[in-house]
């Protein structure tokens, strides 16, 4: 009898088997398969050895009574056993494979000797995939049978890519004991660790450069009060209700975040220390003050949002009113504000992403489309383009599907928003009971290189400096590295040469990123909630274009307590605010608040504040990713190729950007990608289903 056996994987493309004689012997191995086996997909074959096998092994799918060669036979794997026999095989099932055949295991000690039947499975009842549905069919949410372009991942192709000329790959290590480095303790890295745990892969370590987890989650409690400011993410779209038919749709991609919170709450026993509770986020309030681009009331008061809705004359008219302007704007809106298109994003954003790519929307900047397709003049093109913050159609489409549906008179609907009571740090902190025994803080990786292990297999070696003054590398080897840090950080690492496309994506000239600045000022009382036009949540717009938006708290409403007003500015303005001192930036924000609410604001300001410009954050140097024209279609497939045993994940590698769900999507994809690299097909399918990664075809 054999002792404990290590796992091995055979990864092969199905092909015809030449003549094979067979001698029936007492069963040496018990053969079983995945519970569900589908033609054209992946499956696992499990081997329980009774006796030590011979040195050459073949696995074949053939008629159950087969004892010799047959044109219907299909090789699953063939390989040499040097020490430990495999316990599992990865099987790329042919699309036309017949049902109710058996998996046979043959063996011999020499290629010139007739192979013996060592064991076979029970008849395998194959299921067959339905005909692929059209990507134009938007009525089937969370489509499960994407092709590689839609899901940016094809498990069968990954298995086929690993075929070697000798017909197999055998591993000497236990696959579930594969050592994995997860570089980055943001939400992508944390979720990846938890996802691997969920399928029994525990030998991973999260390596974080800072002294905390959470990445771009940054909740700050100001001056030891109960008032918290979100210096990073602050809201989540939950659902949208349309005006014309009163239809309410959930945002399918953001359900990932709510599902993660529910799972963490269950894992933590709903302990109040770790509990994640969602509360309403008030995106707009009727009494928000709009000083920018508006007229004043006769008494000099700044108009509110509701007053402008009631009397549009309070809003300054557009300077562009000619026919060319309206014609060009209408043509752009047919792309960017089509209700059917926006609903498709809300129902299944990943499938909508493929549709946008198929339509060529990643091939044109918005300016180029207006100039060269719609034949607009330079002046009209510039007027329309500079009125928004977007160059790429997909990014603005995604914006219009959530933030753009603000419930205003001209809007097609209104989005319902949620946030986390106590701040987004509660979401990342809820991972700590499950990751802290495999978490290393204050270790900034400076170098990644592939190395050959003593067994001849490629591994990854990570290196870092012990501290700023000690420039002698310390290093550690892992079988695989999952890089969850943004490219703004990996650009500072010494990396091996990757494929041309991936190298360019990582490079400074490649994938683009955006920044933001936030300043939260603490006031001794919430004066904005008082008077004849009280403001509860939402944001006001001062006349200062540089300050942008001033957000009011959505918690503790109508209570006698202090309060925060937070300035939030992205884009080029945030890059310029980096040059400001804290004092100058704070005073600029306070000036704008006083311009809206009067000089009482200065009297009630406590002098306490929080400020964060993300370009100055040493561990991220960015706020979110903003791919340029053609970078979606070109770069995303490159992230799904494992090179030098390294897999890149993170918000910047997903089809959507700037949301928590983008990071979680990448965690599902990266975890499944790793499991398929290891041949753990059933675990990949289980994780795919459990964590709502249903857009990935396996």
């Amino acid at each position: 009898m054999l002792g404990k056996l290590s796992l091995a994987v055979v990864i092969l493309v199905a092909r015809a088997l030449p003549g094979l004689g067979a001698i029936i012997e007492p069963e040496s191995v018990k053969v079983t398969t995945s519970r569900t086996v589908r033609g054209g997909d992946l499956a696992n074959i499990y081997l329980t050895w009774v006796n030590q096998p011979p040195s050459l092994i073949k696995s074949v799918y053939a008629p159950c009574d087969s004892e010799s060669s047959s044109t219907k036979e299909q090789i699953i794997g063939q390989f040499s056993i040097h020490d430990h026999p495999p316990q599992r095989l990865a099987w790329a099932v042919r699309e036309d494979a017949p049902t109710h055949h058996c998996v046979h295991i043959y063996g011999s000690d020499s290629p010139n000797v007739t192979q013996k039947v060592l064991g076979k499975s029970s008849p395998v009842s194959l299921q067959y995939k339905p005909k692929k549905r059209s990507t134009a069919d938007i009525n089937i949410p969370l489509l499960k049978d994407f092709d590689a372009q839609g899901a940016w991942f094809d498990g069968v192709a990954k298995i086929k890519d690993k075929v070697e000329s000798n017909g197999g790959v055998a591993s000497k290590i236990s696959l579930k004991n594969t050592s994995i480095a997860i570089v980055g303790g943001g939400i992508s890295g944390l979720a990846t660790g938890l996802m691997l745990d969920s399928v029994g892969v525990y030998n991973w370590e999260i390596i974080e450069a800072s002294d905390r987890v959470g990445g771009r989650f940054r909740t700050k409690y100001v001056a030891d009060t109960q008032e918290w400011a979100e210096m990073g993410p602050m809201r989540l779209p939950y659902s949208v209700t349309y005006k014309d038919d009163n239809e309410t749709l959930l945002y399918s991609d953001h359900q990932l975040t709510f599902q993660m919170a529910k799972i963490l709450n269950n894992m933590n026993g709903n302990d109040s220390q770790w509990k994640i509770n969602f509360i309403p986020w008030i995106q707009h309030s009727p009494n928000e003050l709009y000083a920018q681009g508006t007229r004043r009331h006769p008494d000099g008061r700044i108009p509110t949002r509701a007053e402008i809705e009631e009397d549009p004359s309070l809003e300054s008219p557009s300077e562009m009113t000619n026919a060319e302007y309206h014609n060009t704007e209408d043509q752009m809106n047919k792309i960017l504000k089509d209700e059917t298109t926006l609903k498709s994003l809300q129902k299944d954003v990943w499938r909508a992403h493929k549709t946008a790519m198929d339509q060529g929307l990643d091939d044109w900047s918005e300016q180029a489309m207006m100039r060269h397709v719609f034949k607009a003049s330079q002046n009209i093109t510039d007027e329309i383009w500079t009125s928004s913050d977007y160059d790429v159609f997909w990014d603005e489409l995604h914006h219009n599907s959530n933030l753009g549906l603000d419930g205003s008179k001209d809007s097609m609907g209104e989005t319902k928003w949620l946030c986390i009571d106590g701040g987004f740090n509660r979401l990342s902190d809820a991972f700590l009971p499950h990751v802290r025994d495999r978490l290393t803080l204050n270790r900034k990786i400076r170098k990644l290189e592939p190395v050959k292990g003593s067994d001849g297999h490629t591994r990854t070696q990570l290196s870092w400096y012990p501290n700023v003054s000690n420039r002698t590398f310390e290093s550690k080897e892992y079988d695989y590295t999952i890089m969850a840090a943004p490219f703004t950080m990996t650009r500072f690492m010494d990396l091996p040469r990757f494929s041309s496309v991936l190298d360019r994506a990582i490079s400074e000239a490649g994938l683009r990123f955006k920044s933001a600045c936030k300043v939260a000022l603490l006031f001794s009382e919430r004066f904005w909630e008082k008077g004849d036009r009280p403001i509860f949540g939402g944001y006001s717009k001062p006349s200062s274009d540089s300050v942008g938006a001033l957000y009011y708290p959505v918690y503790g409403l109508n209570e006698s307590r202090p309060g925060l007003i937070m300035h939030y500015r992205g884009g080029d303005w945030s890059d310029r605010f980096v040059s400001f001192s804290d004092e100058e930036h704070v005073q600029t924000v306070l000036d704008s608040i006083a311009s809206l609410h009067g000089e009482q604001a200065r009297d009630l300001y406590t002098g306490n504040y929080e400020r964060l410009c993300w370009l100055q954050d040493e561990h991220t140097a960015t706020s979110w990713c903003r791919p340029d024209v053609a970078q979606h279609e070109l770069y995303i497939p490159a992230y799904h190729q494992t090179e030098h045993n390294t897999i890149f994940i993170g918000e910047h590698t997903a089809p959507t950007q700037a949301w928590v769900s983008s990071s979680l999507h990448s965690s599902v994809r990266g975890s499944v990608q790793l499991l398929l690299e290891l041949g753990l097909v059933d675990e990949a399918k289980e994780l795919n289903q459990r964590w709502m990664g249903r857009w990935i075809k396996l």
Side-chain angles (χ1 to χ4, degrees):
M1 296 290 291
L2 293 174
K4 184 177 180 180
L5 300 176
S6 64
L7 294 177
V9 180
V10 178
I11 304 176
L12 293 158
V13 178
R15 57 183 174 83
L17 179 66
L20 178 67
I23 300 173
I24 304 299
E25 294 284 342
E27 189 175 78
S28 296
V29 61
K30 180 181 178 182
V31 184
T32 57
T33 67
S34 301
R35 180 175 300 179
T36 301
V37 181
R38 291 185 174 88
D41 280 354
L42 301 181
N44 273 139
I45 298 167
Y46 296 87
L47 306 177
T48 303
W49 295 94
V50 178
N51 299 310
Q52 181 68 37
S55 59
L56 298 176
I57 297 294
K58 285 185 179 179
S59 177
V60 178
Y61 182 64
C64 295
D65 59 358
S66 176
E67 297 181 10
S68 60
S69 62
S70 169
T71 56
K72 295 181 179 179
E73 290 175 337
Q74 171 194 347
I75 286 183
I76 296 169
Q78 55 183 355
F79 56 97
S80 299
I81 295 179
H82 301 291
D83 42 29
H84 299 295
Q87 288 182 316
R88 190 188 303 211
L89 312 180
W91 177 15
V93 187
R94 276 199 328 228
E95 288 196 23
D96 61 349
T99 188
H100 290 93
H101 284 194
C102 294
V103 175
H104 302 255
I105 303 297
Y106 297 92
S108 68
D109 286 315
S110 169
N112 300 319
V113 176
T114 301
Q115 291 194 313
K116 302 175 182 179
V117 177
L118 305 178
K120 67 179 179 180
S121 70
S122 300
V124 180
S125 178
L126 261 65
Q127 298 182 15
Y128 297 95
K129 296 184 299 179
K131 183 178 179 182
K132 186 177 289 293
R133 290 165 283 193
S134 167
T135 56
D137 180 3
I138 64 165
N139 296 316
I140 309 171
L142 296 171
L143 188 67
K144 297 182 182 180
D145 59 354
F146 267 125
D147 60 17
Q149 181 79 352
W152 307 102
F153 194 84
D154 187 330
V156 175
K158 291 297 296 182
I159 291 295
K160 292 179 179 179
D161 286 346
K162 293 179 70 67
V163 174
E164 295 187 357
S165 59
N166 65 0
V169 179
S171 172
K172 296 181 180 179
I173 61 172
S174 173
L175 295 177
K176 287 197 172 183
N177 285 333
T178 297
S179 60
I180 303 155
I182 302 171
V183 180
I187 193 66
S188 297
L190 294 169
T192 298
L194 211 63
M195 290 175 186
L196 293 176
D197 265 5
S198 73
V199 291
V201 178
Y202 304 114
N203 191 18
W204 49 262
E205 177 185 5
I206 294 175
I207 304 167
E208 166 58 36
S210 72
D211 61 359
R212 53 178 288 278
V213 298
R216 281 166 273 182
F217 290 0
R218 204 65 59 89
T219 305
K220 292 289 187 178
Y221 281 80
V222 183
D224 296 322
T225 67
Q226 301 178 65
E227 308 307 304
W228 43 272
E230 294 286 27
M231 311 308 287
M234 58 186 181
R235 60 197 165 194
L236 297 166
Y238 179 74
S239 65
V240 60
T241 300
Y242 282 87
K243 294 178 181 178
D244 59 350
D245 56 7
N246 207 36
E247 182 179 13
T248 297
L249 299 173
L250 294 177
Y251 285 94
S252 59
D253 50 338
H254 295 282
Q255 294 306 305
L256 277 168
T257 308
F258 301 118
Q259 181 186 9
M260 176 63 77
K262 182 178 180 180
I263 289 172
L264 285 168
N265 284 341
N266 289 336
M267 292 177 69
N268 291 327
N270 288 304
D271 185 332
S272 60
Q273 180 181 359
W274 309 110
K275 185 73 179 293
I276 304 159
N277 292 314
F278 292 97
I279 60 174
W281 168 271
I282 304 170
Q283 179 67 6
H284 286 292
S285 180
N287 290 329
E288 296 167 350
L289 299 173
Y290 285 11
Q292 190 178 132
T294 59
R295 306 178 191 276
R296 299 296 178 262
H297 287 294
D299 60 3
R301 290 184 307 161
I302 298 169
T304 67
R305 185 173 192 264
E307 290 167 347
I308 295 169
E309 285 276 309
E310 182 69 25
D311 181 6
S313 69
L314 289 170
E315 193 166 19
S316 300
S318 171
E319 294 182 5
M320 289 285 184
T321 58
N322 60 47
E324 182 192 356
Y325 172 84
H326 290 298
N327 179 58
T328 306
E329 187 178 47
D330 287 345
Q331 291 185 84
M332 291 293 285
N333 286 342
K334 287 178 182 178
I335 300 173
L336 294 168
K337 296 184 178 181
D338 175 72
E339 184 170 319
T340 299
T341 300
L342 297 184
K343 285 184 176 181
S344 75
L345 268 75
Q346 291 139 8
K347 291 178 180 179
D348 194 333
V349 71
W350 310 286
R351 194 148 148 260
H353 183 265
K354 171 174 169 50
T355 300
M357 299 301 106
D358 288 347
Q359 291 173 342
L361 291 183
D362 204 39
D363 298 335
W364 296 84
S365 68
E366 293 190 4
Q367 304 99 300
M369 182 73 79
M370 287 186 278
R371 285 284 289 139
H372 301 294
V373 178
F374 301 153
K375 306 301 181 183
S377 66
Q378 290 178 332
N379 188 38
I380 295 297
T381 297
D382 193 63
E383 168 70 18
I384 295 175
W385 174 61
T386 55
S387 67
S388 78
D389 184 40
Y390 295 95
D391 303 316
V392 178
F393 279 98
W394 172 252
D395 293 328
E396 187 161 2
L397 272 170
H398 197 238
H399 166 92
N400 290 344
S401 74
N402 45 64
L403 285 163
L405 298 173
D406 60 5
S408 61
K409 184 178 294 185
D410 296 330
S411 175
M412 289 177 281
E414 184 168 8
T415 297
K416 176 182 177 181
W417 297 84
L418 297 176
C419 62
I420 296 177
D421 193 10
F424 272 76
N425 272 18
R426 292 197 61 83
L427 177 57
S428 53
D429 287 350
F431 285 87
L432 287 173
H434 314 286
V435 306
R436 56 187 164 199
D437 61 332
R438 290 162 289 174
L439 171 66
T440 299
L441 298 174
N442 298 304
R443 179 174 292 176
K444 181 175 286 189
I445 300 302
R446 290 296 192 182
K447 186 176 184 179
L448 181 152
E449 57 187 326
V451 295
K452 287 288 186 181
S454 58
D455 57 1
H457 289 92
T458 298
R459 309 185 80 209
T460 59
Q461 179 173 281
L462 299 178
S463 301
W464 61 92
Y465 296 123
N467 53 59
V468 175
S469 59
N470 185 344
R471 311 308 280 180
T472 301
F473 273 137
E474 294 182 0
S475 302
K476 185 175 180 180
E477 290 185 12
Y478 301 86
D479 293 310
Y480 283 86
T481 290
I482 296 178
M483 186 63 69
F487 288 165
T488 50
M489 291 291 100
T490 61
R491 286 167 183 167
F492 289 99
M493 298 179 188
D494 183 359
L495 301 176
R497 289 300 302 270
F498 292 98
S499 61
S500 176
V501 174
L502 185 54
D503 258 348
R504 280 181 275 129
I506 297 171
S507 74
E508 183 273 336
L511 197 63
R512 296 192 312 164
F513 290 82
K514 300 284 280 187
S515 187
C517 283
K518 289 188 174 184
V519 175
L521 305 187
L522 180 66
F523 296 88
S524 59
E525 63 180 67
R526 299 187 175 195
F527 53 84
W528 55 88
E529 294 182 0
K530 302 175 182 179
D532 60 346
R533 299 192 297 177
I535 302 173
F536 300 100
Y539 61 88
S540 290
K541 294 181 180 180
S543 57
S544 170
D545 193 30
S546 63
V547 171
L550 295 168
Y551 284 83
Y552 304 97
V554 299
Y555 56 88
L557 305 180
N558 261 332
E559 296 179 9
S560 179
R561 60 188 289 174
L564 295 168
I565 294 180
M566 187 172 68
H567 146 74
Y568 173 28
R569 202 66 166 107
D572 185 77
W573 282 114
S574 67
D575 297 345
R576 303 312 131 225
F577 273 125
V578 170
S579 68
F580 279 36
S581 66
D582 278 12
E583 182 180 14
E584 184 178 8
H585 199 166
V586 166
Q587 287 302 319
T588 300
V589 174
L590 184 57
D591 289 344
S592 287
I593 295 172
S595 73
L596 292 174
H597 295 285
E599 289 302 308
Q600 64 168 334
R602 299 187 194 276
D603 298 332
L604 296 174
Y605 173 50
T606 65
N608 296 298
Y609 67 89
E610 288 288 342
R611 176 182 184 243
L612 178 58
C613 286
W614 281 91
L615 276 182
Q616 293 177 308
D617 184 81
E618 64 174 310
H619 302 298
T620 59
T622 187
S623 294
W624 62 84
C625 177
R626 180 69 67 78
D628 208 338
V629 175
Q631 290 187 343
H632 277 268
E633 196 164 14
L634 179 63
Y635 289 166
I636 291 179
Y639 308 143
H640 296 252
Q641 302 300 315
T642 305
E643 301 182 33
H644 302 307
N645 285 30
T646 301
I647 295 170
F648 288 89
I649 66 169
E651 165 259 349
H652 55 293
T653 69
T656 63
Q657 277 74 45
W659 297 101
V660 180
S661 59
S662 309
S663 298
L664 295 178
H665 170 281
S666 79
S667 298
V668 178
R669 186 267 302 166
S671 298
V672 169
Q673 187 171 334
L674 174 66
L675 293 171
L676 291 180
E677 285 286 327
L678 299 175
L680 300 176
V681 175
D682 284 345
E683 285 81 356
K685 290 181 177 180
E686 179 185 347
L687 186 148
N688 190 37
Q689 181 63 29
R690 178 180 299 174
W691 294 94
M692 200 182 161
R694 287 171 281 182
W695 53 93
I696 298 177
K697 168 192 169 185
L698 289 176

